[in-house]
Amino acid sequence: MSGNLDWSRLTPDSPKPVDLRTNQPHSARVYDYMLGGKDNFAADRKVAEEVMALSPYLRVSVRANRNFMVRVARHLAAELGITQFLDIGTGLPTSPNLHEVVQRVNPEARIVYIDNDPIVLQHARALLVGTPTGRTSYIDADIHDPQGILDTVEAQNILDLNKPVALCLIAILHFIPDEQEAHEIVRKLLRPLPSGSALALSTIAVDAAPERVTSAVAAFNARGIASKTRTRAEVDLFFEGLDIVPPGLVPVHHWHPDAEARSLKDDEVSMYGGIGIKR
């Protein structure tokens, strides 16, 4: 983890050298490769190909999740009127990014991206390009330190935590294998957010294709990328105490589907997602 550099204060004219650890596979770069991106290395491609050989549906599932993020972000901004977004586990830029989606709805929307992968840090300047009237920021921080994330956001006065915030945990919780820690992270991040804030979440669920999902997660673990699959019922517990937005917690391609989502088969998508509103 690269938490010793204050990347949030860098300007385009002051890049700093970082160790990209190109010989070690990283979840963000594996994900980038599965999406057809170019910001990955041989170690990432090797893991992706090995896992997809065991679970050929995985690339479809990853793309379905990305499409879900776009639809969720648009719904949060356009239908629920939320103007502040805290996106944790940003990953590599893949247009449209969350800020592009929500600032098309409301140019004054504010977005904070959180990640700590060195190559994502290299692309932070691309993520920081938002609308003139809105604000888009990037913070180098670790999801394992939720209080540190909140303290940094508050200290930099990026978001007003007295107004509703959309907490976006898209395709990140399956990289938190410890169940207690995963729930504690969600609780700590939601606790200071006011009524009307939203939790937008997606993660791997085993229900659609148990054997293939289990084999894929086992393959990631064997290659050094700690992962965990959950049942739909276990994922639903993350929304406990929140008012779930229709259609509830569903396979991501069933959540307000567009034409692309409707074309997918249920056994091809192993991601479940939804939105919950804080009372």
Side-chain angles (χ1 to χ4, degrees):
M1 299 299 177
S2 55
N4 58 342
L5 294 176
D6 189 359
W7 284 89
S8 63
R9 297 183 182 275
L10 294 184
T11 68
D13 298 321
S14 60
K16 303 292 184 183
V18 293
D19 178 7
L20 297 181
R21 302 193 294 271
T22 60
N23 62 327
Q24 302 174 24
H26 190 282
S27 57
R29 301 192 298 253
V30 172
Y31 188 76
D32 175 72
Y33 178 70
M34 290 180 179
L35 285 172
K38 298 179 180 179
D39 296 306
N40 48 75
F41 301 98
D44 310 302
R45 295 189 286 272
K46 183 174 184 291
V47 167
E49 291 294 346
E50 289 174 350
V51 175
M52 287 190 294
L54 295 170
S55 304
Y57 75 95
L58 196 54
R59 177 166 268 155
V60 174
S61 191
V62 164
R63 289 176 175 169
N65 179 73
R66 185 70 188 184
N67 190 7
F68 166 79
M69 182 280 294
V70 172
R71 300 195 311 277
V72 160
R74 187 181 300 117
H75 188 91
L76 288 165
E79 304 301 326
L80 301 182
I82 293 179
T83 61
Q84 302 189 110
F85 295 79
L86 180 59
D87 181 37
I88 301 178
T90 301
L92 288 152
T94 304
S95 189
N97 294 292
L98 187 147
H99 74 277
E100 294 172 314
V101 175
V102 301
Q103 288 180 344
R104 284 174 191 159
V105 176
N106 184 347
E108 296 184 358
R110 292 188 167 202
I111 299 90
V112 177
Y113 289 116
I114 305 287
D115 211 306
N116 69 342
D117 174 42
I119 197 170
V120 177
L121 300 179
Q122 288 276 345
H123 287 273
R125 285 171 290 164
L127 289 173
L128 288 170
V129 179
T131 60
T133 54
R135 186 172 179 185
T136 307
S137 300
Y138 182 94
I139 295 174
D140 173 22
D142 194 330
I143 191 172
H144 294 280
D145 181 18
Q147 190 57 53
I149 291 174
L150 293 167
D151 289 345
T152 304
V153 169
E154 192 167 28
Q156 294 190 10
N157 196 30
I158 303 166
L159 303 178
D160 182 352
L161 298 187
N162 295 309
K163 297 179 180 179
V165 174
L167 171 62
C168 300
L169 300 175
I170 306 297
I172 184 68
L173 287 179
H174 45 258
F175 297 121
I176 312 293
D178 185 278
E179 198 71 8
Q180 182 176 344
E181 183 189 13
H183 281 274
E184 186 174 315
I185 287 170
V186 175
R187 285 195 299 269
K188 284 185 176 180
L189 290 168
L190 280 174
R191 188 175 298 134
L193 303 184
S195 176
S197 293
L199 170 65
L201 180 154
S202 69
T203 192
I204 294 174
V206 72
D207 303 57
E211 291 185 8
R212 288 189 295 179
V213 174
T214 301
S215 65
V217 169
F220 276 123
N221 283 315
R223 289 155 180 80
I225 299 177
S227 310
K228 177 174 182 174
T229 186
R230 295 176 172 90
T231 65
R232 183 198 178 283
E234 288 173 326
V235 178
D236 195 43
L237 291 175
F238 287 107
F239 293 97
E240 191 171 13
L242 304 178
D243 294 327
I244 197 79
V245 173
L249 177 64
V250 294
V252 292
H253 62 303
H254 286 304
W255 201 92
H256 296 275
D258 57 10
E260 179 181 342
R262 282 191 290 269
S263 71
L264 301 179
K265 299 177 181 177
D266 286 349
D267 62 358
E268 294 177 326
V269 180
S270 57
M271 303 289 293
Y272 276 64
I275 295 177
I277 304 299
K278 187 173 180 180
R279 298 167 188 160

